[in-house]
Short mmCIF file of all heavy atoms in Angstrom, two decimals:
data_model
loop_
_atom_site.label_atom_id
_atom_site.label_comp_id
_atom_site.label_asym_id
_atom_site.label_seq_id
_atom_site.Cartn_x
_atom_site.Cartn_y
_atom_site.Cartn_z
N GLY A 320 -14.20 -48.32 43.34
CA GLY A 320 -14.64 -49.05 44.51
C GLY A 320 -14.63 -48.18 45.75
O GLY A 320 -14.13 -47.05 45.73
N PRO A 321 -15.15 -48.68 46.85
CA PRO A 321 -15.19 -47.91 48.10
C PRO A 321 -13.79 -47.63 48.63
O PRO A 321 -12.82 -48.29 48.23
CB PRO A 321 -15.99 -48.82 49.05
CG PRO A 321 -16.61 -49.86 48.19
CD PRO A 321 -15.75 -50.01 46.98
N PRO A 322 -13.66 -46.68 49.55
CA PRO A 322 -12.34 -46.41 50.14
C PRO A 322 -11.83 -47.61 50.93
O PRO A 322 -12.61 -48.33 51.56
CB PRO A 322 -12.60 -45.21 51.06
CG PRO A 322 -13.87 -44.61 50.57
CD PRO A 322 -14.68 -45.73 50.01
N GLY A 323 -10.53 -47.82 50.89
CA GLY A 323 -9.92 -48.83 51.72
C GLY A 323 -9.90 -50.23 51.18
O GLY A 323 -9.55 -51.18 51.89
N VAL A 324 -10.29 -50.44 49.90
CA VAL A 324 -10.30 -51.79 49.35
C VAL A 324 -8.99 -52.13 48.64
O VAL A 324 -8.84 -53.23 48.12
CB VAL A 324 -11.49 -51.99 48.39
CG1 VAL A 324 -12.80 -51.85 49.12
CG2 VAL A 324 -11.42 -51.03 47.21
N GLY A 325 -8.02 -51.19 48.58
CA GLY A 325 -6.71 -51.50 48.03
C GLY A 325 -6.47 -51.00 46.62
O GLY A 325 -5.60 -51.54 45.93
N LYS A 326 -7.18 -49.97 46.18
CA LYS A 326 -7.02 -49.49 44.80
C LYS A 326 -5.62 -48.88 44.59
O LYS A 326 -4.95 -49.17 43.60
CB LYS A 326 -8.10 -48.44 44.48
CG LYS A 326 -9.52 -48.96 44.59
CD LYS A 326 -10.52 -47.91 44.16
CE LYS A 326 -10.53 -46.70 45.07
NZ LYS A 326 -10.94 -47.02 46.45
N THR A 327 -5.20 -48.04 45.53
CA THR A 327 -3.90 -47.39 45.38
C THR A 327 -2.75 -48.38 45.58
O THR A 327 -1.78 -48.39 44.83
CB THR A 327 -3.77 -46.23 46.38
OG1 THR A 327 -4.85 -45.30 46.15
CG2 THR A 327 -2.45 -45.50 46.22
N SER A 328 -2.86 -49.23 46.59
CA SER A 328 -1.77 -50.15 46.89
C SER A 328 -1.61 -51.21 45.81
O SER A 328 -0.49 -51.67 45.54
CB SER A 328 -2.00 -50.81 48.26
OG SER A 328 -3.23 -51.50 48.28
N ILE A 329 -2.71 -51.63 45.16
CA ILE A 329 -2.58 -52.64 44.10
C ILE A 329 -1.82 -52.04 42.91
O ILE A 329 -1.11 -52.76 42.19
CB ILE A 329 -3.97 -53.16 43.66
CG1 ILE A 329 -3.84 -54.38 42.74
CG2 ILE A 329 -4.77 -52.09 42.95
CD1 ILE A 329 -3.23 -55.58 43.37
N ALA A 330 -1.95 -50.73 42.68
CA ALA A 330 -1.19 -50.10 41.60
C ALA A 330 0.31 -50.17 41.88
O ALA A 330 1.11 -50.43 40.97
CB ALA A 330 -1.64 -48.65 41.44
N GLN A 331 0.71 -49.96 43.13
CA GLN A 331 2.12 -50.11 43.49
C GLN A 331 2.59 -51.54 43.29
O GLN A 331 3.70 -51.79 42.82
CB GLN A 331 2.33 -49.67 44.93
CG GLN A 331 2.11 -48.18 45.17
CD GLN A 331 2.22 -47.80 46.63
OE1 GLN A 331 1.48 -48.31 47.47
NE2 GLN A 331 3.15 -46.92 46.94
N SER A 332 1.75 -52.50 43.64
CA SER A 332 2.10 -53.91 43.47
C SER A 332 2.23 -54.27 41.99
O SER A 332 3.08 -55.08 41.61
CB SER A 332 1.05 -54.80 44.13
OG SER A 332 1.02 -54.59 45.52
N ILE A 333 1.38 -53.67 41.15
CA ILE A 333 1.46 -53.93 39.70
C ILE A 333 2.79 -53.46 39.16
O ILE A 333 3.44 -54.14 38.36
CB ILE A 333 0.28 -53.24 38.99
CG1 ILE A 333 -1.04 -53.94 39.34
CG2 ILE A 333 0.49 -53.23 37.47
CD1 ILE A 333 -2.27 -53.20 38.86
N ALA A 334 3.23 -52.27 39.60
CA ALA A 334 4.52 -51.76 39.16
C ALA A 334 5.65 -52.69 39.60
O ALA A 334 6.58 -52.98 38.83
CB ALA A 334 4.75 -50.35 39.72
N ARG A 335 5.57 -53.19 40.83
CA ARG A 335 6.61 -54.10 41.33
C ARG A 335 6.57 -55.43 40.59
O ARG A 335 7.61 -56.01 40.27
CB ARG A 335 6.41 -54.32 42.83
CG ARG A 335 7.61 -54.95 43.52
CD ARG A 335 7.50 -54.78 45.02
NE ARG A 335 6.48 -55.63 45.58
CZ ARG A 335 6.69 -56.89 45.99
NH1 ARG A 335 7.92 -57.41 45.90
NH2 ARG A 335 5.74 -57.60 46.51
N ALA A 336 5.36 -55.92 40.28
CA ALA A 336 5.24 -57.19 39.58
C ALA A 336 5.75 -57.10 38.14
O ALA A 336 6.33 -58.06 37.62
CB ALA A 336 3.78 -57.64 39.59
N LEU A 337 5.54 -55.95 37.50
CA LEU A 337 5.99 -55.78 36.12
C LEU A 337 7.46 -55.35 36.03
O LEU A 337 8.04 -55.35 34.95
CB LEU A 337 5.12 -54.73 35.41
CG LEU A 337 3.65 -55.09 35.19
CD1 LEU A 337 2.91 -53.92 34.56
CD2 LEU A 337 3.52 -56.32 34.32
N GLY A 338 8.02 -54.96 37.18
CA GLY A 338 9.40 -54.47 37.16
C GLY A 338 9.51 -53.07 36.60
O GLY A 338 10.53 -52.70 36.02
N ARG A 339 8.47 -52.24 36.80
CA ARG A 339 8.46 -50.88 36.26
C ARG A 339 8.56 -49.85 37.38
O ARG A 339 8.31 -50.15 38.55
CB ARG A 339 7.19 -50.62 35.46
CG ARG A 339 7.05 -51.47 34.20
CD ARG A 339 5.86 -51.01 33.39
NE ARG A 339 5.70 -51.75 32.15
CZ ARG A 339 4.86 -51.43 31.18
NH1 ARG A 339 4.07 -50.36 31.32
NH2 ARG A 339 4.76 -52.14 30.08
N LYS A 340 8.90 -48.63 36.99
CA LYS A 340 8.89 -47.51 37.93
C LYS A 340 7.42 -47.15 38.24
O LYS A 340 6.53 -47.38 37.42
CB LYS A 340 9.60 -46.30 37.34
CG LYS A 340 11.06 -46.56 36.96
CD LYS A 340 11.91 -46.77 38.20
CE LYS A 340 13.36 -46.94 37.84
NZ LYS A 340 13.96 -45.73 37.27
N PHE A 341 7.22 -46.56 39.42
CA PHE A 341 5.87 -46.21 39.85
C PHE A 341 5.79 -44.71 40.12
O PHE A 341 6.66 -44.14 40.78
CB PHE A 341 5.50 -46.98 41.11
CG PHE A 341 4.14 -46.60 41.68
CD1 PHE A 341 2.98 -47.03 41.05
CD2 PHE A 341 4.04 -45.81 42.80
CE1 PHE A 341 1.74 -46.70 41.57
CE2 PHE A 341 2.81 -45.46 43.32
CZ PHE A 341 1.65 -45.91 42.70
#
Side-chain angles (χ1 to χ4, degrees):
V324 297
K326 299 184 296 297
T327 302
S328 58
I329 190 64
Q331 293 176 301
S332 297
I333 290 171
R335 195 164 73 88
L337 294 176
R339 295 188 178 189
K340 301 292 184 66
F341 176 74

